[in-house]
Protein backbone atom coordinates (compact mmCIF):
# COMPACT_ATOMS: atom_id res chain seq x y z
CA UNK A 1 0.00 0.00 0.00
CA UNK A 2 1.44 3.34 -1.09
CA UNK A 3 1.87 6.41 1.09
CA UNK A 4 -0.83 8.33 -0.75
CA UNK A 5 -3.29 5.47 -0.28
CA UNK A 6 -2.54 5.26 3.45
CA UNK A 7 -3.08 9.02 3.85
CA UNK A 8 -6.38 8.79 1.95
CA UNK A 9 -7.60 5.93 4.16
CA UNK A 10 -6.52 7.81 7.28
CA UNK A 11 -8.50 10.89 6.23
CA UNK A 12 -11.49 8.71 5.39
CA UNK A 13 -11.41 7.07 8.83
CA UNK A 14 -11.12 10.50 10.49
CA UNK A 15 -14.13 11.79 8.56
CA UNK A 16 -16.14 8.67 9.42
CA UNK A 17 -15.37 9.06 13.13
CA UNK A 18 -16.28 12.75 12.94
CA UNK A 19 -19.64 11.93 11.34
CA UNK A 20 -20.35 9.36 14.04
CA UNK A 21 -19.62 11.94 16.72
CA UNK A 22 -22.07 14.37 15.15
CA UNK A 23 -24.94 11.84 15.16
CA UNK A 24 -27.49 12.89 17.76
CA UNK A 25 -30.98 11.78 18.81
CA UNK A 26 -30.60 8.39 17.17
CA UNK A 27 -32.16 5.43 18.95
CA UNK A 28 -29.77 3.06 17.22
CA UNK A 29 -26.17 2.64 18.29
CA UNK A 30 -23.41 3.76 15.94
CA UNK A 31 -22.96 1.76 12.76
CA UNK A 32 -20.61 -1.08 13.78
CA UNK A 33 -17.14 -1.31 12.28
CA UNK A 34 -17.01 -4.44 10.09
CA UNK A 35 -13.23 -4.86 10.00
CA UNK A 36 -11.74 -6.88 12.83
CA UNK A 37 -7.99 -6.64 13.38
CA UNK A 38 -5.54 -6.37 10.51
CA UNK A 39 -7.02 -9.11 8.27
CA UNK A 40 -10.56 -10.09 9.25
CA UNK A 41 -13.74 -8.43 8.03
CA UNK A 42 -17.46 -9.10 7.72
CA UNK A 43 -18.60 -10.98 4.63
CA UNK A 44 -20.93 -8.68 2.71
CA UNK A 45 -24.38 -10.22 2.38
CA UNK A 46 -26.21 -9.06 -0.77
CA UNK A 47 -29.56 -10.28 0.61
CA UNK A 48 -30.74 -7.42 2.77
CA UNK A 49 -33.58 -8.69 4.94
CA UNK A 50 -34.76 -5.47 6.53
CA UNK A 51 -33.71 -1.83 6.60
CA UNK A 52 -34.63 0.03 9.78
CA UNK A 53 -34.84 3.79 9.51
CA UNK A 54 -33.59 5.79 12.45
CA UNK A 55 -36.70 5.99 14.65
CA UNK A 56 -35.98 9.59 15.60
CA UNK A 57 -36.44 10.62 11.96
CA UNK A 58 -39.68 8.74 11.20
CA UNK A 59 -42.23 11.28 9.99
CA UNK A 60 -45.73 11.02 8.58
CA UNK A 61 -46.40 12.15 5.02
CA UNK A 62 -49.37 11.79 2.69
CA UNK A 63 -49.22 10.78 -0.96
CA UNK A 64 -52.65 12.38 -1.33
CA UNK A 65 -54.65 14.52 1.14
CA UNK A 66 -56.56 12.26 3.59
CA UNK A 67 -60.33 12.19 3.10
CA UNK A 68 -61.62 9.45 5.42
CA UNK A 69 -61.10 8.83 9.12
CA UNK A 70 -62.19 6.03 11.42
CA UNK A 71 -63.22 7.25 14.89
CA UNK A 72 -63.08 4.57 17.59
CA UNK A 73 -64.79 5.34 20.88
CA UNK A 74 -64.80 3.31 24.05
CA UNK A 75 -68.24 1.75 24.33
CA UNK A 76 -70.53 2.44 27.31
CA UNK A 77 -68.52 5.37 28.64
CA UNK A 78 -70.68 8.44 29.18
CA UNK A 79 -67.66 10.70 29.74
CA UNK A 80 -66.62 10.22 26.10
CA UNK A 81 -69.90 11.27 24.51
CA UNK A 82 -69.13 14.99 24.43
CA UNK A 83 -65.55 14.62 23.13
CA UNK A 84 -66.85 12.19 20.50
CA UNK A 85 -69.48 14.65 19.30
CA UNK A 86 -67.04 17.58 19.25
CA UNK A 87 -64.46 15.61 17.30
CA UNK A 88 -66.94 14.30 14.72
CA UNK A 89 -68.46 17.75 14.16
CA UNK A 90 -64.97 19.22 13.69
CA UNK A 91 -64.00 16.50 11.19
CA UNK A 92 -67.17 16.71 9.11
CA UNK A 93 -67.95 20.42 9.22
CA UNK A 94 -64.49 22.02 9.42
CA UNK A 95 -62.44 19.51 7.42
CA UNK A 96 -65.12 17.92 5.21
CA UNK A 97 -63.88 14.45 6.16
CA UNK A 98 -65.75 11.18 5.66
CA UNK A 99 -66.16 9.73 9.16
CA UNK A 100 -66.49 5.99 9.77
CA UNK A 101 -67.86 4.73 13.10
CA UNK A 102 -68.92 1.34 14.34
CA UNK A 103 -72.67 0.82 14.15
CA UNK A 104 -73.06 -0.07 17.83
CA UNK A 105 -71.50 3.28 18.83
CA UNK A 106 -74.49 5.11 17.31
CA UNK A 107 -76.90 2.82 19.15
CA UNK A 108 -76.03 4.56 22.41
CA UNK A 109 -79.29 6.30 23.52
CA UNK A 110 -77.39 9.51 24.36
CA UNK A 111 -76.27 9.73 20.72
CA UNK A 112 -79.38 8.29 19.07
CA UNK A 113 -81.71 10.70 20.90
CA UNK A 114 -79.60 13.85 20.43
CA UNK A 115 -81.48 15.94 17.85
CA UNK A 116 -78.67 18.50 17.54
CA UNK A 117 -76.25 15.74 16.57
CA UNK A 118 -78.65 14.26 14.01
CA UNK A 119 -77.42 16.16 10.91
CA UNK A 120 -73.82 15.16 11.63
CA UNK A 121 -74.77 11.55 12.35
CA UNK A 122 -76.45 11.22 8.94
CA UNK A 123 -73.09 11.85 7.26
CA UNK A 124 -71.42 8.90 9.01
CA UNK A 125 -70.43 5.68 7.30
CA UNK A 126 -71.05 2.72 9.61
CA UNK A 127 -69.63 -0.78 9.76
CA UNK A 128 -69.98 -3.95 11.83
CA UNK A 129 -66.98 -5.78 13.19
CA UNK A 130 -66.36 -9.20 11.57
CA UNK A 131 -68.89 -8.44 8.83
CA UNK A 132 -67.71 -5.35 6.94
CA UNK A 133 -64.21 -4.94 5.52
CA UNK A 134 -63.10 -1.30 5.73
CA UNK A 135 -59.35 -1.90 5.46
CA UNK A 136 -59.04 -0.15 2.07
CA UNK A 137 -61.36 2.76 2.88
CA UNK A 138 -59.67 4.39 5.88
CA UNK A 139 -56.91 7.02 5.58
CA UNK A 140 -56.21 7.40 9.30
CA UNK A 141 -57.69 6.44 12.67
CA UNK A 142 -58.54 8.46 15.79
CA UNK A 143 -59.03 6.61 19.09
CA UNK A 144 -60.89 8.04 22.09
CA UNK A 145 -60.33 6.09 25.29
CA UNK A 146 -57.56 3.98 26.78
CA UNK A 147 -55.07 1.49 25.38
CA UNK A 148 -57.90 -0.92 24.57
CA UNK A 149 -59.12 1.32 21.76
CA UNK A 150 -55.73 1.06 20.05
CA UNK A 151 -55.77 -2.73 20.40
CA UNK A 152 -59.24 -2.79 18.89
CA UNK A 153 -58.08 -0.62 15.99
CA UNK A 154 -55.25 -3.05 15.34
CA UNK A 155 -57.64 -6.02 15.26
CA UNK A 156 -59.71 -4.38 12.50
CA UNK A 157 -56.75 -4.31 10.10
CA UNK A 158 -55.18 -7.69 9.42
CA UNK A 159 -52.97 -6.20 6.72
CA UNK A 160 -51.63 -2.67 6.32
CA UNK A 161 -52.75 -0.33 9.13
CA UNK A 162 -53.50 3.39 8.60
CA UNK A 163 -51.79 5.88 10.95
CA UNK A 164 -53.38 5.92 14.41
CA UNK A 165 -53.86 9.02 16.56
CA UNK A 166 -54.81 8.05 20.13
CA UNK A 167 -56.27 10.47 22.67
CA UNK A 168 -55.80 9.68 26.35
CA UNK A 169 -59.31 9.54 27.79
CA UNK A 170 -58.99 6.31 29.78
CA UNK A 171 -57.73 5.50 33.27
CA UNK A 172 -54.15 4.54 32.41
CA UNK A 173 -52.32 4.18 29.12
CA UNK A 174 -48.90 3.75 27.54
CA UNK A 175 -50.25 3.98 23.99
CA UNK A 176 -52.36 7.16 24.05
CA UNK A 177 -50.07 10.24 24.07
CA UNK A 178 -52.54 12.99 23.09
CA UNK A 179 -54.70 15.06 25.45
CA UNK A 180 -58.07 16.14 24.13
CA UNK A 181 -57.96 19.79 25.22
CA UNK A 182 -56.25 20.99 22.03
CA UNK A 183 -57.59 18.36 19.65
CA UNK A 184 -58.36 20.82 16.81
CA UNK A 185 -54.76 21.96 16.31
CA UNK A 186 -53.38 18.47 16.84
CA UNK A 187 -55.74 16.86 14.31
CA UNK A 188 -54.97 19.65 11.84
CA UNK A 189 -51.24 18.94 12.13
CA UNK A 190 -51.86 15.27 11.36
CA UNK A 191 -54.03 16.08 8.35
CA UNK A 192 -51.25 18.37 7.09
CA UNK A 193 -48.68 15.59 7.55
CA UNK A 194 -46.78 17.35 10.31
CA UNK A 195 -46.30 14.54 12.84
CA UNK A 196 -43.77 11.99 14.06
CA UNK A 197 -44.41 8.25 13.92
CA UNK A 198 -43.42 5.23 15.94
CA UNK A 199 -43.81 1.89 14.17
CA UNK A 200 -45.18 -0.56 16.72
CA UNK A 201 -44.35 -4.06 15.56
CA UNK A 202 -47.09 -6.68 15.52
CA UNK A 203 -46.99 -10.46 15.69
CA UNK A 204 -48.12 -12.65 12.82
CA UNK A 205 -49.76 -15.67 14.41
CA UNK A 206 -50.86 -18.87 12.67
CA UNK A 207 -52.94 -21.39 14.59
CA UNK A 208 -53.13 -24.86 13.05
CA UNK A 209 -55.76 -27.17 14.52
CA UNK A 210 -56.44 -30.79 13.84
CA UNK A 211 -59.84 -31.13 12.17
CA UNK A 212 -62.13 -32.70 14.77
CA UNK A 213 -65.64 -31.82 13.62
CA UNK A 214 -67.33 -31.17 10.35
CA UNK A 215 -68.09 -27.50 9.64
CA UNK A 216 -69.43 -26.02 6.44
CA UNK A 217 -68.02 -22.69 5.32
CA UNK A 218 -70.03 -20.73 2.77
CA UNK A 219 -69.00 -17.22 1.73
CA UNK A 220 -66.75 -16.99 4.77
CA UNK A 221 -69.58 -17.69 7.26
CA UNK A 222 -69.80 -20.88 9.27
CA UNK A 223 -72.98 -22.73 10.18
CA UNK A 224 -73.10 -20.98 13.55
CA UNK A 225 -73.20 -17.59 11.81
CA UNK A 226 -69.71 -16.49 12.88
CA UNK A 227 -67.58 -14.94 10.18
CA UNK A 228 -64.46 -16.99 9.54
CA UNK A 229 -62.01 -14.17 8.86
CA UNK A 230 -58.55 -15.32 7.78
CA UNK A 231 -59.61 -18.98 7.98
CA UNK A 232 -58.35 -21.64 5.58
CA UNK A 233 -59.25 -25.29 5.29
CA UNK A 234 -56.80 -28.10 4.66
CA UNK A 235 -57.43 -31.80 4.64
CA UNK A 236 -57.76 -32.66 8.32
CA UNK A 237 -56.55 -29.20 9.42
CA UNK A 238 -57.98 -25.78 10.18
CA UNK A 239 -55.70 -22.74 9.85
CA UNK A 240 -56.39 -19.31 11.36
CA UNK A 241 -54.18 -16.23 11.16
CA UNK A 242 -54.11 -13.14 13.35
CA UNK A 243 -52.20 -9.87 13.63
CA UNK A 244 -51.43 -9.14 17.29
CA UNK A 245 -50.24 -5.83 18.75
CA UNK A 246 -49.68 -6.68 22.42
CA UNK A 247 -49.36 -10.36 23.17
CA UNK A 248 -50.32 -13.96 22.58
CA UNK A 249 -51.24 -15.62 25.90
CA UNK A 250 -51.30 -19.39 26.31
CA UNK A 251 -52.74 -20.42 29.67
CA UNK A 252 -54.25 -23.42 31.45
CA UNK A 253 -57.80 -22.11 31.19
CA UNK A 254 -60.35 -23.54 33.65
CA UNK A 255 -58.22 -26.61 34.44
CA UNK A 256 -56.78 -27.03 37.92
CA UNK A 257 -53.67 -28.69 36.47
CA UNK A 258 -50.57 -26.76 35.45
CA UNK A 259 -50.23 -26.13 31.76
CA UNK A 260 -47.45 -28.02 30.04
CA UNK A 261 -46.40 -26.57 26.67
CA UNK A 262 -43.30 -26.94 24.51
CA UNK A 263 -41.71 -23.81 23.04
CA UNK A 264 -39.70 -24.16 19.81
CA UNK A 265 -37.42 -21.48 18.36
CA UNK A 266 -36.72 -21.88 14.63
CA UNK A 267 -37.59 -25.55 14.93
CA UNK A 268 -35.48 -26.27 18.02
CA UNK A 269 -37.04 -27.07 21.39
CA UNK A 270 -35.78 -24.45 23.84
CA UNK A 271 -37.92 -25.19 26.89
CA UNK A 272 -41.04 -26.80 28.27
CA UNK A 273 -43.16 -24.31 30.20
CA UNK A 274 -44.84 -25.86 33.22
CA UNK A 275 -46.94 -23.35 35.11
CA UNK A 276 -49.97 -21.15 34.56
CA UNK A 277 -48.93 -20.38 30.99
CA UNK A 278 -46.65 -18.32 28.78
CA UNK A 279 -46.85 -14.83 27.21
CA UNK A 280 -45.32 -14.01 23.83
CA UNK A 281 -45.32 -10.24 23.47
CA UNK A 282 -44.12 -7.42 21.26
CA UNK A 283 -42.12 -4.51 22.72
CA UNK A 284 -45.45 -2.63 22.85
CA UNK A 285 -46.95 -5.52 24.85
CA UNK A 286 -44.01 -5.57 27.25
CA UNK A 287 -45.74 -2.87 29.33
CA UNK A 288 -48.97 -4.88 29.56
CA UNK A 289 -49.53 -8.43 30.87
CA UNK A 290 -45.82 -9.27 30.49
CA UNK A 291 -44.84 -6.46 32.87
CA UNK A 292 -47.31 -7.78 35.44
CA UNK A 293 -45.71 -11.22 35.06
CA UNK A 294 -42.24 -9.85 35.84
CA UNK A 295 -40.85 -9.04 32.38
CA UNK A 296 -38.78 -5.99 31.48
CA UNK A 297 -40.23 -3.04 29.58
CA UNK A 298 -38.89 -2.68 26.04
CA UNK A 299 -39.00 0.47 23.93
CA UNK A 300 -41.29 -0.09 20.91
CA UNK A 301 -38.47 0.62 18.44
CA UNK A 302 -36.39 -2.33 19.68
CA UNK A 303 -36.85 -5.19 17.18
CA UNK A 304 -37.54 -8.10 19.52
CA UNK A 305 -40.01 -10.67 20.79
CA UNK A 306 -40.35 -11.39 24.50
CA UNK A 307 -41.23 -14.78 26.01
CA UNK A 308 -42.49 -14.55 29.59
CA UNK A 309 -43.67 -17.46 31.76
CA UNK A 310 -46.75 -17.04 33.94
CA UNK A 311 -46.05 -18.36 37.46
CA UNK A 312 -43.56 -21.01 36.25
CA UNK A 313 -43.07 -24.13 38.31
CA UNK A 314 -39.34 -23.98 37.55
CA UNK A 315 -37.45 -21.23 39.36
CA UNK A 316 -34.82 -21.16 36.61
CA UNK A 317 -37.17 -19.97 33.83
CA UNK A 318 -36.99 -16.21 33.41
CA UNK A 319 -38.30 -13.90 30.64
CA UNK A 320 -36.38 -14.28 27.38
CA UNK A 321 -35.86 -11.66 24.66
CA UNK A 322 -35.23 -13.07 21.18
CA UNK A 323 -34.59 -11.33 17.83
CA UNK A 324 -37.65 -10.17 15.93
CA UNK A 325 -36.90 -12.38 12.94
CA UNK A 326 -37.15 -15.76 14.66
CA UNK A 327 -40.18 -18.04 14.42
CA UNK A 328 -41.65 -19.44 17.61
CA UNK A 329 -43.90 -22.45 17.80
CA UNK A 330 -45.92 -23.46 20.84
CA UNK A 331 -47.53 -26.88 21.23
CA UNK A 332 -48.93 -28.95 24.04
CA UNK A 333 -46.28 -31.20 25.51
CA UNK A 334 -46.92 -34.90 24.74
CA UNK A 335 -47.27 -35.64 28.47
CA UNK A 336 -49.60 -32.67 29.17
CA UNK A 337 -52.52 -33.74 31.35
CA UNK A 338 -54.95 -31.16 30.01
CA UNK A 339 -55.55 -28.80 27.10
CA UNK A 340 -54.50 -25.16 26.98
CA UNK A 341 -56.23 -21.96 25.93
CA UNK A 342 -54.90 -19.13 23.77
CA UNK A 343 -55.99 -15.52 23.28
CA UNK A 344 -54.74 -12.73 21.03
CA UNK A 345 -54.70 -9.27 22.61
CA UNK A 346 -57.35 -10.63 24.96
CA UNK A 347 -59.66 -11.64 22.09
CA UNK A 348 -60.55 -14.71 19.99
CA UNK A 349 -59.98 -17.03 22.95
CA UNK A 350 -59.93 -20.70 21.93
CA UNK A 351 -58.85 -24.11 23.14
CA UNK A 352 -55.59 -25.75 22.08
CA UNK A 353 -55.50 -29.55 22.07
CA UNK A 354 -52.84 -32.18 21.40
CA UNK A 355 -51.62 -31.90 17.82
CA UNK A 356 -52.50 -28.21 17.49
CA UNK A 357 -49.75 -25.62 17.04
CA UNK A 358 -49.29 -21.85 17.37
CA UNK A 359 -46.62 -20.28 15.12
CA UNK A 360 -45.51 -16.74 15.95
CA UNK A 361 -43.16 -14.33 14.19
CA UNK A 362 -42.89 -10.59 13.63
CA UNK A 363 -45.40 -9.25 11.14
CA UNK A 364 -44.42 -7.09 8.17
CA UNK A 365 -47.44 -4.89 8.97
CA UNK A 366 -46.61 -2.67 11.98
CA UNK A 367 -49.05 -0.24 13.54
CA UNK A 368 -47.94 3.35 12.78
CA UNK A 369 -48.73 5.25 15.96
CA UNK A 370 -48.65 9.04 15.71
CA UNK A 371 -46.47 10.67 18.38
CA UNK A 372 -47.23 13.77 20.40
CA UNK A 373 -43.56 14.84 20.31
CA UNK A 374 -41.22 12.04 19.21
CA UNK A 375 -40.77 8.31 19.89
CA UNK A 376 -38.20 8.97 22.62
CA UNK A 377 -40.03 11.59 24.67
CA UNK A 378 -43.48 10.05 24.34
CA UNK A 379 -42.48 6.62 25.62
CA UNK A 380 -40.41 7.78 28.56
CA UNK A 381 -43.01 10.37 29.57
CA UNK A 382 -45.78 7.78 29.49
CA UNK A 383 -43.59 5.38 31.45
CA UNK A 384 -42.88 8.00 34.11
CA UNK A 385 -46.52 9.04 34.26
CA UNK A 386 -47.78 5.46 34.65
CA UNK A 387 -45.20 4.64 37.31
CA UNK A 388 -46.03 7.88 39.15
CA UNK A 389 -49.74 7.02 38.88
CA UNK A 390 -49.08 3.67 40.56
CA UNK A 391 -47.15 5.40 43.35
CA UNK A 392 -50.00 7.88 43.91
CA UNK A 393 -52.51 5.02 43.93
CA UNK A 394 -50.52 3.16 46.60
CA UNK A 395 -50.21 6.33 48.68
CA UNK A 396 -53.96 6.88 48.46
CA UNK A 397 -54.57 3.27 49.50
CA UNK A 398 -52.27 3.68 52.49
CA UNK A 399 -54.11 6.87 53.47
CA UNK A 400 -57.47 5.11 53.31
CA UNK A 401 -56.17 2.19 55.38
CA UNK A 402 -54.76 4.57 58.01
CA UNK A 403 -58.07 6.42 58.24
CA UNK A 404 -59.97 3.15 58.60
CA UNK A 405 -57.50 1.98 61.23
Amino acid sequence: MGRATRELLSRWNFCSELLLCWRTRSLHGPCPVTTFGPKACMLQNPKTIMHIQDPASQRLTWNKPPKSVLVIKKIRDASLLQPFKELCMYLTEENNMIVYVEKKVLEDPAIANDENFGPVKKKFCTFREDYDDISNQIDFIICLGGDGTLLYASSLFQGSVPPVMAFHLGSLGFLTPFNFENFQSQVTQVIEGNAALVLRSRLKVKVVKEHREKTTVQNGIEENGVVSANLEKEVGKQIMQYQVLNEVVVDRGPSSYLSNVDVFLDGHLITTVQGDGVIVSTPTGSTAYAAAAGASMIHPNVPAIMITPICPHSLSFRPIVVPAGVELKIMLSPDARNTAWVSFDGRKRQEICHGDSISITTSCYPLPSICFRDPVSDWFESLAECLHWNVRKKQNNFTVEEEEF
Side-chain angles (χ1 to χ4, degrees), residues 65-69 87-99 123 139-140 187 191:
K67 295 296 184 182
S68 60
V69 55
L87 174 65
C88 292
M89 293 179 67
Y90 176 74
L91 291 170
T92 55
E93 296 178 358
E94 299 293 332
N95 292 279
N96 198 27
M97 303 285 290
I98 301 172
V99 176
K123 300 179 182 179
D139 293 330
F140 73 103
V187 171
I191 294 175

Side-chain angles (χ1 to χ4, degrees), residues 138-368:
I138 304 300
D139 293 330
F140 73 103
I141 305 169
I142 297 179
C143 295
L144 302 176
D147 289 353
T149 57
L150 200 70
L151 296 176
Y152 178 68
S154 172
S155 70
L156 295 176
F157 296 86
Q158 295 299 300
S160 177
V161 186
V164 182
M165 183 181 191
F167 286 94
H168 176 62
L169 292 168
S171 58
L172 179 67
F174 279 91
L175 313 180
T176 51
F178 289 93
N179 293 318
F180 194 75
E181 286 78 9
N182 302 316
F183 77 93
Q184 294 97 334
S185 60
Q186 294 169 346
V187 171
T188 300
Q189 286 185 350
V190 172
I191 294 175
E192 294 174 351
N194 182 20
L197 285 176
V198 56
L199 298 183
R200 297 185 179 275
S201 64
R202 298 197 293 175
L203 299 175
K204 182 176 72 172
V205 185
K206 183 172 72 172
V207 179
V208 180
K209 291 188 173 184
E210 296 292 335
H211 192 54
R212 297 180 180 86
E213 59 181 358
K214 184 178 180 180
T215 58
T216 303
V217 177
Q218 296 179 349
N219 298 326
I221 302 179
E222 293 185 358
E223 288 178 333
N224 58 5
V226 178
V227 174
S228 305
N230 305 310
L231 184 145
E232 303 173 7
K233 293 288 185 179
E234 287 186 358
V235 178
K237 293 186 182 296
Q238 179 182 356
I239 302 176
M240 291 159 287
Q241 296 188 8
Y242 305 94
Q243 297 283 331
V244 177
L245 178 60
N246 258 4
E247 74 267 308
V248 178
V249 178
V250 180
D251 59 68
R252 64 182 184 176
S255 173
S256 58
Y257 296 113
L258 296 177
S259 66
N260 204 347
V261 296
D262 293 337
V263 179
F264 298 84
L265 194 152
D266 284 343
H268 302 283
L269 177 65
I270 59 171
T271 188
T272 297
V273 181
Q274 189 174 22
D276 283 353
V278 63
I279 306 166
V280 179
S281 59
T282 62
T284 295
S286 69
T287 58
Y289 193 0
S296 298
M297 297 180 183
I298 304 177
H299 191 279
N301 277 118
V302 177
I305 298 175
M306 176 171 282
I307 308 168
T308 307
I310 307 172
C311 299
H313 187 260
S314 171
L315 297 178
S316 61
F317 190 6
R318 292 292 180 265
I320 304 170
V321 179
V322 298
V326 304
E327 181 176 353
L328 298 170
K329 180 178 283 189
I330 299 176
M331 302 180 67
L332 275 180
S333 180
D335 55 351
R337 302 172 65 182
N338 58 291
T339 61
W341 289 76
V342 62
S343 61
F344 314 94
D345 283 342
R347 299 162 60 88
K348 310 291 184 183
R349 186 169 172 82
Q350 54 196 270
E351 190 174 15
I352 299 297
C353 303
H354 285 281
D356 300 343
S357 65
I358 306 167
S359 299
I360 306 170
T361 189
T362 300
S363 171
C364 62
Y365 297 110
L367 185 142

Side-chain angles (χ1 to χ4, degrees), residues 13-33:
N13 289 333
F14 174 77
C15 292
S16 299
E17 292 174 0
L18 187 61
L19 287 173
L20 287 176
C21 292
W22 277 101
R23 285 187 65 185
T24 59
R25 298 295 293 168
S26 172
L27 293 188
H28 297 319
C31 184
V33 175

